[in-house]
Amino acid sequence: MSVALIRPLVVRTVAVSDPDDLLARLPDAAPYAWIRHGEGLVGWGEAARAAVPPGPGRFDWARGWLSSLFAGALIEDQVGVPGSGPVAFGSFTFDGDAQGTVLVVPRVVLARRGGRAWLTTIGDSAFDLVSPPREPGRIRYADGSLTAAQWEHRVARAVRRIKDGMLDKVVLARDLTAVAERDIDPRVLLGRLAERYPECYTFSVDGLVGATPELLVRHTGQAVESLVLAGTTARGGGPADDAARGAALHASQKDRHEHACAVASVREALAPLCSALHVPDEPELLVLPNVQHLASRVTGRLSDGASVLDVVAAMHPTAAVGGTPTGAALGVIRELEGMDRAGYAGPVGWIDSRGDGEWGIALRCAYVSGRRARLFAGCGIMAGSDPAAELAEAQAKLRVMRYALEG
């Protein structure tokens, strides 16, 4: 465990004129971001940081650390909305026993939402010079932990486990390595992702950059919301093909069962925390530039005003990124996947001093360090899964970050 901070935090939030483009205000220094449809938060600098120790109590530790930090802060908040005052950005590893979970409170946070904009500064925060984003140049790709053929073989083994009755579903992830001519500027990736995938949550936390379509939880007061995605097909070659693919996805017994498993896991996690919970009877189609998903928006009201991190702790890992039943699926992942997911498929997002916040599942993402990036994609494996089709789905999902790198 390591902790770095300025004590006590002296925090000031004021209303500002609409910055229009939040990402354009980011300096070239470890940017933090959470953006959807041009709204959200961006931050830079570090007023406090904690490397959260792994283990079953990591969410409790994180909440305790933040509660202590924020309780001791001197806060002047002239805005008083979710995301104003001190905010921590965080990334939790998929595997609770893995190192790498981090919480960071930026020195500066700029935000806009619902026609309002505000600026939060901590201490005597100076504004860093904003230089133009730098293109990474030519990109070379290489297999990650497994080749395509090896990964297909692991999918086939997972299907046999499912048919043998060991489990109903398991999500297997694949990674890809990219090396650029020049250091990769995360702002370039963020700009491309936010423009092309406005429906997604474009994020950047401690080198993990991506655009996830999956909202794990939005927490505002006692209201909570989760967007469940499971069941995927590629976009078609035209409107007619697109519609046919969407209809086939909606009618697919395999994909509907996969989606039902994911929704059930969210219902089971939220029900003990909520005094009211609404789960749609039928999924909708979420159409993105590269794929279509089956989607269900679950809403509820918390019974005891729990922090957003309490909800995240109850929900992770969902069946959408782990499998069903959870314990058996995690065992198969460790046996077959052949890699450390790090923060991929883990919770990523932000929390303020009230316990409000938004957290997604870190999908369609990459770890960026210098000239190198490690890209991730995953697929839900069911009894009817075809290894070649699952590989094609993974490649379609990897195109998101390939586009971010290449333009």
Side-chain angles (χ1 to χ4, degrees):
M1 176 191 71
S2 66
V3 175
L5 66 154
I6 301 170
R7 284 193 184 274
L9 299 183
V10 180
V11 186
R12 187 167 187 259
T13 298
V14 297
V16 295
S17 58
D18 193 337
D20 186 40
D21 185 354
L22 290 173
L23 295 174
R25 305 303 179 94
L26 281 171
D28 179 20
Y32 297 88
W34 182 265
I35 301 291
R36 183 174 182 265
H37 287 307
E39 296 192 337
L41 305 87
V42 297
W44 58 93
E46 288 186 10
R49 162 186 284 264
V52 179
R58 61 182 182 151
F59 290 102
D60 290 337
W61 190 98
R63 182 180 181 183
W65 181 77
L66 286 171
S67 295
S68 176
L69 180 68
F70 291 155
L74 305 175
I75 303 173
E76 178 192 351
D77 184 355
Q78 300 177 13
V79 179
V81 297
S84 67
V87 169
F89 287 79
S91 168
F92 284 76
T93 57
F94 173 81
D95 187 336
D97 292 329
Q99 299 280 350
T101 293
V102 64
L103 292 169
V104 177
V105 179
R107 289 186 298 109
V108 182
V109 172
L110 181 63
R112 66 191 299 255
R113 178 164 295 171
R116 305 180 70 181
W118 59 93
L119 176 72
T120 298
T121 55
I122 296 181
D124 297 324
S125 298
F127 285 84
D128 297 355
L129 179 65
V130 178
S131 60
R134 301 178 309 278
E135 294 289 338
R138 187 171 59 89
I139 308 293
R140 293 184 292 107
Y141 295 97
D143 286 322
S145 305
L146 299 173
T147 66
Q150 288 172 329
W151 192 78
E152 282 187 288
H153 179 65
R154 302 295 174 93
V155 170
R157 289 172 61 185
V159 170
R160 288 197 294 271
R161 299 282 197 284
I162 294 168
K163 290 181 176 178
D164 287 342
M166 292 180 58
L167 68 169
D168 295 323
K169 171 191 172 181
V170 64
V171 178
L172 291 184
R174 182 164 185 254
D175 62 344
L176 188 69
T177 298
V179 180
E181 282 186 86
R182 295 179 287 277
D183 282 356
I184 300 169
D185 188 336
R187 297 174 300 168
V188 171
L189 279 58
L190 290 170
R192 287 173 178 161
L193 292 170
E195 181 178 9
R196 184 155 183 171
Y197 302 96
E199 285 288 335
C200 293
Y201 297 85
T202 299
F203 61 88
S204 176
V205 178
D206 210 43
L208 184 64
V209 180
T212 180
E214 190 139 358
L215 177 69
L216 185 62
V217 59
R218 175 183 294 117
H219 179 296
T220 307
Q222 287 186 289
V224 290
E225 177 183 344
S226 180
L227 180 63
V228 184
L229 303 181
T232 305
T233 188
R235 293 292 303 271
D241 186 24
D242 225 18
R245 287 172 179 262
L249 175 65
H250 203 270
S252 165
Q253 183 177 356
K254 175 259 186 189
D255 289 291
R256 289 294 292 265
H257 179 57
E258 178 184 351
H259 188 81
C261 289
V263 171
S265 76
V266 170
R267 181 193 293 112
E268 291 167 7
L270 286 180
L273 299 175
C274 291
S275 58
L277 189 65
H278 173 69
V279 181
D281 294 328
E282 289 279 320
E284 300 177 350
L285 279 177
L286 175 63
V287 180
L288 301 175
N290 61 321
V291 294
Q292 302 181 65
H293 294 290
L294 293 178
S296 292
R297 193 172 300 277
V298 178
T299 58
R301 186 167 184 81
L302 293 171
S303 55
D304 63 353
S307 158
V308 68
L309 283 184
D310 294 318
V311 184
V312 171
M315 295 181 69
H316 178 74
T318 68
V321 292
T324 309
T326 301
L330 294 180
V332 172
I333 289 170
R334 294 187 183 105
E335 176 192 359
L336 298 182
E337 206 166 70
M339 70 175 189
D340 176 10
R341 290 188 179 186
Y344 170 73
V348 62
W350 61 270
I351 177 174
D352 66 17
S353 58
R354 305 168 192 83
D356 288 333
E358 292 181 322
W359 289 75
I361 300 175
L363 306 174
R364 319 296 196 271
C365 61
Y367 270 106
V368 176
S369 179
R371 295 170 52 229
R372 303 182 68 85
R374 185 182 175 210
L375 289 59
F376 299 89
C379 299
I381 311 303
M382 308 288 290
S385 292
D386 172 65
E390 299 296 343
L391 178 63
E393 180 181 321
Q395 290 171 332
K397 292 173 177 176
L398 285 167
R399 290 192 196 109
V400 174
M401 292 311 298
R402 292 187 67 160
Y403 167 78
L405 287 166
E406 300 168 15

